[in-house]
Amino acid sequence: MSANGTAQTRISDTPEQLAHEVAGWIVEQASKPRTRFSLCLSGGETPKHLYELLATPAYVAHMPWDRTHCFWGDERMVPRDDPRSNYHMAWDALLRHVPIPVENIHAIPTEHMSPAAGAAAYATELKRFYGADVLDSSRPLFDLTLLGLGEDGHIASLFPGSPALTETERWVIPVMGETAPDRITLTYPVLASSSVTAFVVAGERKRNALAGVLAGDAALPASRLQPRGAVYWFIDRAAAATPAFSGAQ
Ligand code: 6PG
């Protein structure tokens, strides 16, 4: 899975324990000495409770929000106040409750522009933040990237069979006509440019996709991600109940 093929797996008995496990681990990662902490957030349902936990006193005080920058791996082409918006979910569950400078919140633009224009604008924003137009494998863009896993094995908005899977030049692209609403997604090279990548996977309905990814099924978009840095799988017992984990703690 990672560039050196290793990954750490942590299995939690319940979704609640999983959320606490990941929240504590994110604070640990964020607290490492560095001038800024760049965090790429995932959307969907799974991380919502994790975000809510990070907004609680037990975690807020330990998170360096003043130097944390938040980005998104993908977004739905809906207004920011739309309940389907990944930005909206993270804002409502976490960001509006914590002392993060508003200029450190880098949402994917979706309003009053086409998906292509939104994608191009976000690529410009990422390159401005990174300080270069070309990714350097020795200098990851993100310190931490959170990823969910779709039942079909998709990550961000990289869906099975999509032409987006073969994009290696553009940092951000529109995803049209594959889902409703259309989407904007970071591409593999950008998602892979991370010091640490954490997959957070919960629930029985994710078992098959998870087993397929861990078996290296190349038809599943998650299998094809080659993260530059360390990889962690945070999984709950319900998702892990497959032979792939028979020996795991
Ligand atoms: C999105 C996500 C997507 C998500 C998976 C899992 O915009 O929906 O970025 O990649 O992580 O679809 O979603 P659930 O957590 O809702 O199962």
Side-chain angles (χ1 to χ4, degrees), residues 19-67:
H20 277 283
E21 172 87 20
V22 183
W25 179 80
I26 289 175
V27 168
E28 237 177 71
Q29 295 295 321
S31 306
K32 292 182 178 168
R34 53 169 82 84
T35 52
R36 63 186 188 183
F37 174 63
S38 54
L39 172 61
C40 185
L41 298 172
S42 61
E45 280 305 306
T46 305
K48 187 163 182 248
H49 187 45
L50 159 64
Y51 296 164
E52 288 165 347
L53 278 179
L54 284 170
T56 60
Y59 295 98
V60 172
H62 305 288
M63 186 76 179
W65 285 111
D66 59 323
R67 55 186 173 80

Side-chain angles (χ1 to χ4, degrees), residues 70-149:
C70 287
F71 297 86
W72 278 260
D74 71 325
E75 187 55 279
R76 294 91 179 267
M77 279 306 290
V78 293
R80 284 189 181 183
D81 60 359
D82 187 298
R84 295 166 295 172
S85 159
N86 287 337
Y87 165 82
H88 177 78
M89 186 273 276
W91 169 256
D92 204 45
L94 172 60
L95 300 175
R96 69 189 180 92
H97 306 286
V98 298
I100 184 172
V102 66
E103 63 273 19
N104 289 13
I105 300 176
H106 307 268
I108 297 178
T110 59
E111 296 174 332
H112 319 302
M113 62 177 76
S114 69
Y122 205 56
T124 303
E125 169 93 358
L126 289 172
K127 290 174 181 178
R128 185 193 58 73
F129 179 81
Y130 187 60
D133 288 349
V134 177
L135 290 167
D136 170 348
S137 59
S138 66
R139 187 172 69 88
L141 167 61
F142 301 122
D143 294 301
L144 174 53
T145 296
L146 295 177
L147 289 169
L149 179 68

